Amino acid sequence: MAAHLKKRVYEEFTRVVQIPHEEAPAKKLRLSKPSKSAALHIDLCKAANSTDALQYLLQFARKPVEAESVEGVIRILLEHYYKETDNSVRLKIASLLGLLSKTKGFNPDCVVDDVINTLGNEKSHQVLAQLLDTLLVIGTQLPEGAAVRRRLVEVACKLLSDTYFGVRNKCLQLLGCLGMVDAPLGKDGEGPSSSIGGVRDVPNIISNYFTDQEPRVRTAALKAMLQLHERGMKIHQIIYEQACRLLSDDYEQVRSAAVQMVWVLSQLYPESIVPIPSSNEEIRLVDDAFGKISHMISDGSWMVRVQAAKTLGSMLQVSPHFLEQTLDKKLMSDLRRKRTAHERAKELFASGEFSSGRKWADDAPKERLNSNTVNLIASGACGAFVHGLEDEMFEVRIAAVEALCQLARSSPSFAEKCLDFLVDMFNDEIEEVRLQSIHVLREISTHITLREDQLDTVLAVLEDSSRDIREALHELLCYTNVSTKECIQLALLDLLKNLNKYPTDRNSVWKCLKFLGSRHPTLVLPLVPELLSTHPYFDTPEPDMDDPAYIAVLVLVFNAAKSCPTMPALFSDHTFRHYAYLRDSLSHLVPPLRLLGRKQVYSLDSLDSGCGSGSVESAKLFLQQSLNRVSTIQNLETPGAPDLLNFTIRDLQRLGELQTELAGAADFCATYLRCQLLLMKALQDKLWNMAVPLCLKQNVTATAAAQQILEETYKLEFLYSGLESRQVATVHHVRLQAKALQLVLTARSRPGMDLLISSCEKFLQEIECFQRMFLTQLPHLQDSFVDKLLELMPRLSSCKPVELVKILQTTLRQSGLLQLRLPEQIHRATATIIEPTGESDNPLRFTSGLVVALDIDATLEHVQDPQDKVKVQVLYPDGQSHVIHPKPADFRKPGPDRHRLITQVYLSHTAWTEPSQVEVRLLLAYSSSPSSPSTTGRAGWSDSIDSLPPAEAAVEGTIPFSKPVKVYIMPKPARR
């Protein structure tokens, strides 16, 4: 009993009380980056000599420096600068000061005083020049600091008296870049004053160094004056005489800069009157400058000659007689000073006596005067373009041809006079010169009409082996006017010879004859009986329609008949049938005509459907109404939604076929709606209300639909150009839906837990990437799939994978159809393979194990950067596929948004028993990274994509964007 009481006492008085401990606040760690300035100071202190210090500085220059550390680093560098005695180390420190001043986010205003102070004690000219370059960098980084710029100009003016040319060069460069462009004018505005109100007159200071003894300083002075002009200062006319004297300088850099200076003054003061030296004559400044620059075409340096020729092409205000003098090496009478009869009589009376014979030639004609003193233009400038076109350097000849083009476009009379010279350049030995001459003649073709002898010289180029030359000449003939029917006949015969010699030029020759016939219907009319081989009494045999030469003649005749209603009366019966055939097969070459045959009327006007502004506007309205009709679909399970989408897709496809202007927008919208239709079919009730083993077939169909949606979204993003950021965000939204569907289908197939967790994490990362890339477009995505996911993002980040999949499934089925905004201007990238045609039944035979070259000729429309993206795919009958990347030189750009691919593909295979077909097509390569948008919509996105988390590897692939062409080949076994 006592023991029991003792136990109860201990139970009552030995109670254990646990006092909850207050959790101590977690210690926060602050990560600090090592100081750049401290590290640099330690390195420089460790340097035993100047060589080690220079090595440390070179290593430091390769490392990036943050904006907040720049000032400290500059202080360390300046501190070491004052201690250093080696010039090379101080030079490197001065260079580093300039590089650090360019750091983004750093204001170099705080180091100006220190850098200026270093100039006072510096004895090395090279270091002085580098410090001035640093001050120039600082001044350009402070566009609003007028006081700082004025101070830097004062420093440059003080150092202009330095004996080292590099210092004077940097001072002049600093004056040109930082000098005040609103400097006061002198009296009457004729010239600048030296110094008013403490403001340096920069143009006057710079012009004083036009006569410096060092040619590099003279060049720097001219460039500094040109820099002031580019910044908005109006250069004064008084320096024109100095610039003209510099045209005869001994150094080509000075002459080159002087040519540019004379041109600038001629554009600023074209109507000013300047005197001619050693005479009483006066001419316009632009004419005088034109003559002086024309004289530079004969300069000893080919670089000066090139610049002079290019400069002449931009002087459009010159007088016509000065312009025409450049085409004649003899001085024209219009540019020679003439004395009046009164002046001649006065001089004869002043002589006072007849010739006595005691002085040699004292009775010589007084009219003969020194040509260099009385000419209005220097004799060396006569025939400037003739000299330029005959120059030994092809760069000068090209520049002269381009200058002729610019002047001829603004002067029809000059275009007619320079026609013979341009035609002669077609025989140049350099292909680039010939090609440029053809392009120039094409640009001025509206002002000229070719004579028969000129046309004969032009057509001789069709024998050229270069395909680019021949096609450029075809393009020239398309827009050239000829004078007689003999010219038409001559052009047709030479083009048919070209077609026979180079069959690959077929399409280019046909296009040329199309325009040649439409431009000269009256000249083609008398040639029709001869061209079509018709006879008034006898029936002639029907030509072969497979002959490209006969098709070329028909293209010429039918295009001429469009503007000549009397021409169809000369056609025979088979010509009408051939017209109907060509109108169907080559509708882009044969125009619609109303031809009355003997048995029936070929009325094909209905094929030429109007494509005016009214039809385009109505088509745009129809497109917008179709999108509005689809926007009524509330969610993907709305009854009747699949049928509505099917009908709308069909209408949009038909609209793209009828209206080529809206083909890109219509195809884009149809592809987008097709993705939505596939998503609807994949989310049907019977798939999700049954167990997976009971609906395996539907599950496979949904998986294929999700993969197809992904492929279609890549087409939407990379196959169309002109997309705005809103359309790109819509495409990425559909891609996110497809990936969510793939994740749900993966979970239904019961994979391993690790795979499911990694898939969920990857999907959450893609949602975050989408949010950051399209932050500005999120207001336009309200009530969409991604908008609901972003609202549930905290829950999705913390829930289990199974729960996340269920949320995704529910959100997918309840999400509405995101309305697509009608894009302003969208073009679809297309490619058309011209060669090979795939029509030949004769196989290409080659020995197995060797190769055969297949010529590829294709036109590309609306393809951006084709050199990097376009590839050629060859698919063999046994399933092998080869992808070839063409060389950049194989691409040409004949026009805006158009490219031409001319290349060769090498085929090889083992021996076959019989010929078979290989497929050739063009592919468009793309690379899509989850963390970076495509280039088509990059301009409209926010700049916050730099802070994205590490993304997965970029998704790369190819998109076929041309119809495949089948080519017969036959690898033969090698002979033993």
Side-chain angles (χ1 to χ4, degrees):
M1 184 66 180
H4 180 67
L5 289 175
K6 186 177 181 180
K7 185 177 180 181
R8 287 189 60 187
V9 170
Y10 280 111
E11 286 178 356
E12 290 178 4
F13 296 102
T14 58
R15 181 177 300 175
V16 179
V17 180
Q18 293 183 354
I19 301 175
H21 295 280
E22 294 183 1
E23 294 184 1
K27 295 182 179 180
K28 296 183 179 179
L29 298 178
R30 183 172 61 88
L31 299 178
S32 61
K33 296 181 180 180
S35 174
K36 295 281 186 180
S37 58
L40 179 62
H41 179 68
I42 294 172
D43 289 340
L44 293 177
C45 290
K46 290 190 302 183
N49 49 38
S50 58
T51 304
D52 294 342
L54 188 58
Q55 290 297 326
Y56 286 130
L57 290 174
L58 291 173
Q59 293 174 6
F60 178 79
R62 302 187 188 101
K63 302 175 184 178
V65 181
E66 296 79 12
E68 58 271 11
S69 304
V70 170
E71 186 173 358
V73 172
I74 289 179
R75 297 301 173 195
I76 296 297
L77 289 173
L78 288 172
E79 180 182 349
H80 190 78
Y81 177 88
Y82 293 125
K83 300 177 183 178
E84 185 60 48
T85 58
D86 188 83
N87 290 340
S88 60
V89 178
R90 295 204 309 276
L91 182 65
K92 184 58 183 178
I93 292 177
S95 174
L96 284 176
L97 293 177
L99 291 175
L100 292 171
S101 300
K102 296 180 182 179
T103 304
K104 189 176 182 181
F106 171 68
N107 186 9
D109 194 8
C110 58
V111 298
V112 174
D113 295 333
D114 298 305
V115 178
I116 292 177
N117 292 335
T118 58
L119 294 171
N121 302 323
E122 185 56 58
K123 303 300 180 183
S124 172
H125 296 293
Q126 289 86 352
V127 180
L128 265 178
Q130 186 60 54
L131 288 173
L132 285 170
D133 187 70
T134 299
L135 288 177
L136 175 61
V137 171
I138 294 175
T140 53
Q141 296 294 320
L142 300 171
E144 304 298 331
V148 175
R149 284 172 170 250
R150 194 176 298 113
R151 188 178 176 189
L152 295 179
V153 168
E154 292 291 337
V155 171
C157 292
K158 291 179 182 177
L159 293 175
L160 272 173
S161 58
D162 195 277
T163 58
Y164 181 57
F165 77 93
V167 176
R168 301 203 298 276
N169 279 357
K170 290 299 178 181
C171 290
L172 290 169
Q173 187 179 356
L174 194 146
L175 290 176
C177 294
L178 303 181
M180 299 299 176
V181 296
D182 53 352
L185 294 176
K187 185 178 179 180
D188 299 330
E190 295 180 354
S193 60
S194 59
S195 180
I196 296 180
V199 179
R200 290 277 186 173
D201 183 15
V202 176
N204 192 23
I205 295 173
I206 294 176
S207 62
N208 292 334
Y209 287 85
F210 285 174
T211 56
D212 193 273
Q213 62 181 358
E214 172 62 44
R216 286 166 286 192
V217 177
R218 298 197 294 271
T219 305
L222 288 169
K223 290 183 177 180
M225 192 68 78
L226 292 171
Q227 182 70 26
L228 288 178
H229 168 70
E230 292 177 1
R231 292 175 53 216
M233 176 180 284
K234 189 173 183 180
I235 302 176
H236 301 285
Q237 184 184 344
I238 59 174
I239 67 172
Y240 175 72
E241 186 178 351
Q242 291 178 286
C244 291
R245 284 199 298 267
L246 291 175
L247 290 174
S248 57
D249 197 274
D250 294 336
Y251 294 87
E252 65 173 284
Q253 293 87 354
V254 180
R255 298 196 301 272
S256 178
V259 167
Q260 190 68 18
M261 177 62 67
V262 170
W263 176 82
V264 168
L265 291 170
S266 70
Q267 303 303 305
L268 292 176
Y269 308 99
E271 301 299 330
S272 298
I273 303 299
V274 295
I276 297 178
S278 305
S279 71
N280 297 325
E281 297 294 326
E282 294 180 339
I283 59 174
R284 297 163 64 226
L285 189 145
V286 65
D287 293 336
D288 187 60
F290 185 82
K292 286 181 167 57
I293 296 177
S294 297
H295 184 68
M296 302 304 292
I297 293 287
S298 304
D299 192 85
S301 169
W302 70 270
M303 298 181 66
V304 177
R305 299 199 299 270
V306 168
Q307 184 175 5
K310 290 181 178 179
T311 305
L312 288 178
S314 57
M315 302 182 72
L316 305 179
Q317 298 172 314
V318 68
S319 302
H321 50 278
F322 277 86
L323 199 59
E324 294 167 2
Q325 179 62 67
T326 58
L327 299 177
D328 193 349
K329 292 183 179 181
K330 296 181 180 180
L331 186 65
M332 297 180 180
S333 59
D334 291 342
L335 298 179
R336 184 180 291 117
R337 177 180 174 271
K338 307 179 187 66
R339 293 185 302 169
T340 62
H342 178 72
E343 290 176 336
R344 294 195 298 269
K346 181 179 178 180
E347 186 175 358
L348 182 63
F349 176 77
S351 63
E353 59 181 355
F354 293 100
S355 173
S356 62
R358 294 180 180 179
K359 297 180 180 180
W360 176 257
D362 60 347
D363 59 345
K366 301 297 182 180
E367 186 67 18
R368 189 177 65 187
L369 299 175
N370 188 358
S371 60
N372 291 328
T373 60
V374 301
N375 295 341
L376 302 185
I377 185 173
S379 59
C382 298
F385 282 123
V386 179
H387 291 295
L389 295 175
E390 296 174 352
D391 197 276
E392 61 179 351
M393 304 297 291
F394 79 93
E395 294 90 349
V396 181
R397 300 199 296 273
I398 290 179
V401 166
E402 293 174 350
L404 277 176
C405 173
Q406 296 178 24
L407 294 171
R409 279 187 298 185
S410 60
S411 175
S413 61
F414 183 70
E416 294 179 1
K417 289 180 174 62
C418 69
L419 178 59
D420 287 326
F421 298 95
L422 290 175
V423 170
D424 287 341
M425 296 305 294
F426 285 14
N427 299 321
D428 195 273
E429 59 182 359
I430 302 298
E431 178 181 340
E432 188 176 353
V433 179
R434 300 197 301 271
L435 189 60
Q436 188 63 31
S437 303
I438 295 173
H439 289 324
V440 165
L441 204 59
R442 157 72 181 88
E443 293 186 26
I444 65 173
S445 58
T446 55
H447 302 311
I448 60 175
T449 300
L450 290 179
R451 303 188 307 270
E452 188 171 353
D453 59 320
Q454 294 171 337
L455 183 64
D456 195 13
T457 305
V458 170
L459 293 174
V461 185
L462 291 174
E463 300 289 331
D464 200 296
S465 60
S466 172
R467 185 170 188 164
D468 293 334
I469 295 287
R470 297 196 305 273
E471 292 187 353
L473 191 65
H474 296 158
E475 188 77 13
L476 168 63
L477 292 175
C478 289
Y479 300 98
T480 301
N481 297 318
V482 297
S483 54
T484 62
K485 68 173 184 177
E486 286 75 13
C487 293
I488 294 290
Q489 196 168 16
L490 180 63
L492 177 61
L493 291 177
D494 281 358
L495 286 171
L496 294 181
K497 291 179 182 177
N498 176 21
L499 188 61
N500 185 38
K501 186 174 182 180
Y502 301 103
T504 55
D505 292 351
R506 180 179 61 180
N507 290 281
S508 183
V509 170
W510 288 350
K511 177 187 174 184
C512 174
L513 289 171
K514 169 190 174 181
F515 285 93
L516 201 62
S518 61
R519 293 178 70 90
H520 307 89
T522 56
L523 299 180
V524 176
L525 178 61
L527 299 174
V528 169
E530 182 181 355
L531 295 179
L532 298 181
S533 301
T534 58
H535 194 275
Y537 306 115
F538 303 104
D539 286 336
T540 55
E542 181 176 349
D544 184 11
M545 277 302 297
D546 293 331
D547 185 10
Y550 177 63
I551 295 178
V553 172
L554 290 181
V555 168
L556 173 73
V557 171
F558 289 148
N559 281 277
K562 185 177 182 180
S563 304
C564 188
T566 60
M567 192 178 295
L570 303 175
F571 294 171
S572 57
D573 288 343
H574 60 260
T575 306
F576 293 104
R577 296 194 304 269
H578 296 170
Y579 169 78
Y581 171 75
L582 291 178
R583 181 60 188 151
D584 289 336
S585 58
L586 299 175
S587 58
H588 61 289
L589 295 175
V590 179
L593 301 173
R594 185 176 180 83
L595 303 179
L596 182 62
R598 297 181 181 178
K599 297 182 179 179
Q600 55 184 335
V601 176
Y602 295 89
S603 180
L604 301 173
D605 291 334
S606 59
L607 296 178
D608 188 24
S609 58
C611 296
S613 59
S615 60
V616 174
E617 292 299 326
S618 61
K620 285 185 178 179
L621 180 61
F622 176 78
L623 179 59
Q624 185 62 56
Q625 290 175 350
S626 300
L627 295 179
N628 294 337
R629 186 167 57 249
V630 172
S631 64
T632 58
I633 301 176
Q634 297 297 328
N635 55 58
L636 300 180
E637 294 185 348
T638 304
D643 294 336
L644 178 59
L645 285 177
N646 273 320
F647 292 141
T648 306
I649 292 171
R650 182 198 62 186
D651 293 343
L652 292 178
Q653 289 175 342
R654 182 58 178 161
L655 177 65
E657 296 173 0
L658 295 176
Q659 283 292 345
T660 56
E661 293 85 352
L662 296 178
D667 291 342
F668 182 84
C669 297
T671 306
Y672 171 76
L673 296 180
R674 191 179 303 111
C675 293
Q676 297 293 339
L677 181 61
L678 290 171
L679 195 59
M680 283 185 181
K681 293 180 178 179
L683 295 174
Q684 292 176 352
D685 290 336
K686 61 181 180 180
L687 173 63
W688 306 99
N689 295 334
M690 299 172 61
V692 177
L694 300 179
C695 57
L696 289 177
K697 184 177 180 181
Q698 289 82 355
N699 201 48
V700 172
T701 304
T703 304
Q707 184 62 33
Q708 186 177 353
I709 293 173
L710 284 178
E711 294 174 359
E712 295 291 339
T713 57
Y714 289 122
K715 289 182 181 179
L716 289 173
E717 184 176 1
F718 297 102
L719 201 57
Y720 296 86
S721 59
L723 297 181
E724 300 174 359
S725 57
R726 187 167 177 178
Q727 280 98 41
V728 178
T730 305
V731 171
H732 278 255
H733 179 268
V734 178
R735 188 178 301 163
L736 200 62
Q737 287 179 303
K739 291 182 178 180
L741 178 60
Q742 282 185 334
L743 179 57
V744 173
L745 293 172
T746 302
R748 285 173 61 86
S749 62
R750 300 185 182 279
M753 185 56 64
D754 294 339
L755 177 61
L756 185 59
I757 292 175
S758 63
S759 300
C760 293
E761 290 177 352
K762 181 180 177 182
F763 184 77
L764 292 177
Q765 182 182 352
E766 289 175 348
I767 296 176
E768 293 177 359
C769 291
F770 183 93
Q771 182 182 9
R772 297 194 183 192
M773 284 193 299
F774 303 105
L775 189 62
T776 57
Q777 300 299 326
L778 290 179
H780 303 296
L781 303 177
Q782 294 181 357
D783 298 330
S784 63
F785 171 71
V786 72
D787 186 48
K788 295 178 181 178
L789 289 184
L790 292 176
E791 292 177 359
L792 299 172
M793 197 62 186
R795 182 181 173 188
L796 294 176
S797 302
S798 58
C799 67
K800 295 181 179 180
V802 178
E803 184 179 356
L804 184 144
V805 170
K806 290 182 180 179
I807 295 174
L808 286 180
Q809 179 178 339
T810 305
T811 310
L812 262 179
R813 301 185 66 183
Q814 294 178 355
S815 60
L817 178 65
L818 187 60
Q819 184 176 3
L820 180 65
R821 179 185 174 187
L822 182 64
E824 292 293 333
Q825 191 71 26
I826 285 185
H827 298 286
R828 178 188 171 102
T830 58
T832 305
I833 299 178
I834 301 175
E835 294 289 340
T837 59
E839 300 173 353
S840 176
D841 294 333
N842 297 324
L844 293 174
R845 301 180 183 273
F846 61 97
T847 304
S848 62
L850 301 181
V851 295
V852 62
L854 179 65
D855 293 325
I856 303 292
D857 184 5
T859 57
L860 313 176
E861 301 279 349
H862 305 291
V863 180
Q864 299 178 355
D865 300 327
Q867 293 86 353
D868 300 328
K869 297 181 179 179
V870 176
K871 299 181 180 181
V872 182
Q873 183 190 41
V874 180
L875 186 62
Y876 292 93
D878 58 355
Q880 293 186 28
S881 177
H882 293 170
V883 177
I884 300 97
H885 196 162
K887 297 178 295 185
D890 294 337
F891 293 91
R892 296 156 177 81
K893 189 174 183 180
D897 296 327
R898 292 184 63 236
H899 289 85
R900 183 86 175 271
L901 172 62
I902 301 177
T903 185
Q904 280 188 335
V905 173
Y906 296 102
L907 309 179
S908 180
H909 211 279
T910 57
W912 296 353
T913 56
E914 60 183 13
S916 188
Q917 291 178 333
V918 295
E919 287 189 0
V920 180
R921 71 179 70 191
L922 297 183
L923 305 177
L924 188 69
Y926 66 87
S927 177
S928 175
S929 175
S931 61
S932 61
S934 67
T935 56
T936 53
R938 188 172 296 169
W941 296 339
S942 65
D943 298 331
S944 61
I945 61 173
D946 297 333
S947 58
L948 291 177
E952 298 293 329
V955 179
E956 298 182 352
T958 55
I959 304 172
F961 72 120
S962 73
K963 293 182 179 179
V965 175
K966 295 183 178 181
V967 180
Y968 266 107
I969 66 171
M970 177 57 188
K972 300 181 297 182
R975 294 183 179 179
R976 298 289 182 180

